[in-house]
Amino acid sequence: MTALSTSIQSVLTIVLLIVVGYVLRRQGRFDDQFGKTISDLLIKIALPASIFISVLQRLTLDKLVSLSSGLVYGFGAVILGYLIAFLLVWLLKVRPGRRGTFINMFVNANTIFIGLPLNLALFGDKAVPYFLMYYVVNTVSTWTVGAFIMAWDDPTQKKSEKSSTGFNWKKLLPAPLVGFLVALVFLLLKIPFIHVGWLSFAVNALDYVGSLVTPLSLIYIGIILADAGLKAIRFDRDTIVALIGRFVIAPALIAGLILLGMHAGFNVPGLEAQTLIIQAAAPGLAVLPILATEAHADVEYATNVVTTSTVLFVVVVPILMMLVQGLA
């Protein structure tokens, strides 16, 4: 019941913020440009700040080295996830504008906004180091391959490629990824940015700006839902397969790799295995509709899969917890 109660509380908080965006947009309090304004603020400012400060606050170089097994299992599952997702895109003939969202749903999870609070509630502080390893994997995957795939799936870009001779490096190096790379440089050079007293004003400012990501992303989903209408929530073929990828294939891949590692003689703590599997099944990224907007893709589809995966997560978590209990 603890897992069920925690997941219900997490989902209700998220749904409430989505409802705020939906209601205010329907009442006309948000104009037509407000959604685009939120998108620019999140992608170019809030997300880079959030990722930069989160990495410096939660990771050290020593932690990265000592918990490298989590990185191996995580990146292994991510690679397999991309391969399966690309194969299904080809077999199911998923249309342009949906492909990027479909693939991201298979591989990249909402770890920091839903996964972290849930992980703390289920396993406590002792599981945080294992969570951080999956967080690194998910962040790298999301803002390298994941963001690039969303940009690649831009239908309007494909049409204009015939008359364009240059390559848009901004799409290969999105601002959130730059924030992560800068944070890694700080870690590697052991720059004590967050521990310097006179720089506390800058750390606090980055914290405040980064904290905008969760509420604004969810309010943005509400705005998109209001514009599209509640009919945007539906279970078509692409949505159902994407949800299977998020809740079944993704956790199954990392669980399979962990079992293979154990058979090969590599010791995997039960708490680490539980954490990695639960994180692999977290809902779709809250920023997917924003990335879809930036790529001129199917925003309604992105909103649909994020919303449905978030709501269904309340059912998935208790089932997964029962399945992974034996790993403790």
Side-chain angles (χ1 to χ4, degrees):
M1 290 300 293
T2 301
L4 178 61
S5 175
T6 301
S7 55
I8 289 175
Q9 291 294 327
S10 298
V11 169
L12 287 178
T13 300
I14 291 162
V15 169
L16 183 59
L17 286 173
I18 292 175
V19 169
V20 169
Y22 178 87
V23 171
L24 292 178
R25 174 59 176 154
R26 294 288 291 181
Q27 290 179 347
R29 296 179 184 273
F30 293 155
D31 61 28
D32 294 340
Q33 296 300 315
F34 188 69
K36 175 62 176 173
T37 301
I38 289 180
S39 173
D40 287 341
L41 175 61
L42 286 173
I43 293 294
K44 297 175 182 177
I45 299 175
L47 266 169
S50 173
I51 292 170
F52 174 78
I53 203 67
S54 294
V55 170
L56 293 184
Q57 287 178 337
R58 295 183 170 93
L59 287 178
T60 64
L61 194 57
D62 291 338
K63 282 184 180 179
L64 282 174
V65 174
S66 64
L67 299 171
S68 57
S69 64
L71 294 176
V72 173
Y73 293 125
F75 279 116
V78 161
I79 292 170
L80 291 174
Y82 277 121
L83 293 175
I84 293 172
F86 271 107
L87 178 62
L88 286 173
V89 163
W90 177 68
L91 289 175
L92 299 176
K93 295 180 172 60
V94 178
R95 68 172 183 257
R98 286 189 171 192
R99 295 171 181 172
T101 300
F102 183 91
I103 293 169
N104 270 279
M105 279 294 293
F106 267 73
V107 181
N108 300 314
N110 193 347
T111 54
I112 197 66
F113 305 135
I114 297 178
L116 177 57
L118 184 66
N119 203 75
L120 289 171
L122 295 178
F123 306 123
D125 290 337
K126 57 185 179 296
V128 170
Y130 304 127
F131 164 82
L132 290 174
M133 291 303 95
Y134 196 86
Y135 170 70
V136 170
V137 172
N138 195 73
T139 301
V140 172
S141 173
T142 298
W143 300 112
T144 53
V145 181
F148 183 72
I149 288 173
M150 291 296 290
W152 159 79
D153 193 38
D154 185 338
T156 61
Q157 181 67 22
K158 290 190 176 192
K159 290 178 182 179
S160 64
E161 279 176 354
K162 297 178 182 178
S163 60
S164 176
T165 57
F167 183 81
N168 191 344
W169 288 99
K170 290 182 179 179
K171 289 189 174 182
L172 184 61
L173 285 173
L177 174 59
V178 172
F180 180 76
L181 293 177
V182 171
L184 284 184
V185 170
F186 274 60
L187 285 181
L188 291 173
L189 298 180
K190 297 183 178 180
I191 301 174
F193 177 76
I194 61 173
H195 301 297
V196 178
W198 65 272
L199 285 177
S200 60
F201 74 94
V203 175
N204 291 336
L206 289 171
D207 263 330
Y208 290 143
V209 174
S211 66
L212 295 174
V213 172
T214 304
L216 287 185
S217 295
L218 296 173
I219 288 172
Y220 181 79
I221 291 175
I223 293 172
I224 297 299
L225 273 176
D227 289 340
L230 291 178
K231 292 180 181 178
I233 300 178
R234 57 185 178 274
F235 291 92
D236 56 18
R237 184 203 63 180
D238 292 347
T239 299
I240 293 171
V241 177
L243 291 173
I244 291 173
R246 179 91 305 272
F247 292 138
V248 179
I249 296 177
L253 286 174
I254 199 162
L257 290 176
I258 290 172
L259 290 175
L260 284 175
M262 294 172 70
H263 273 294
F266 296 101
N267 180 44
V268 181
L271 189 58
E272 177 180 1
Q274 289 179 329
T275 298
L276 294 177
I277 293 169
I278 292 294
Q279 291 305 314
L285 293 162
V287 295
L288 273 182
I290 295 173
L291 293 176
T293 301
E294 293 287 312
H296 310 102
D298 191 337
V299 181
E300 290 184 19
Y301 174 68
T303 301
N304 184 42
V305 292
V306 170
T307 304
T308 52
S309 68
T310 300
V311 173
L312 290 176
F313 190 54
V314 69
V315 178
V316 172
V317 170
I319 296 173
L320 274 179
M321 282 299 293
M322 288 187 292
L323 292 175
V324 302
Q325 285 299 320
L327 297 173

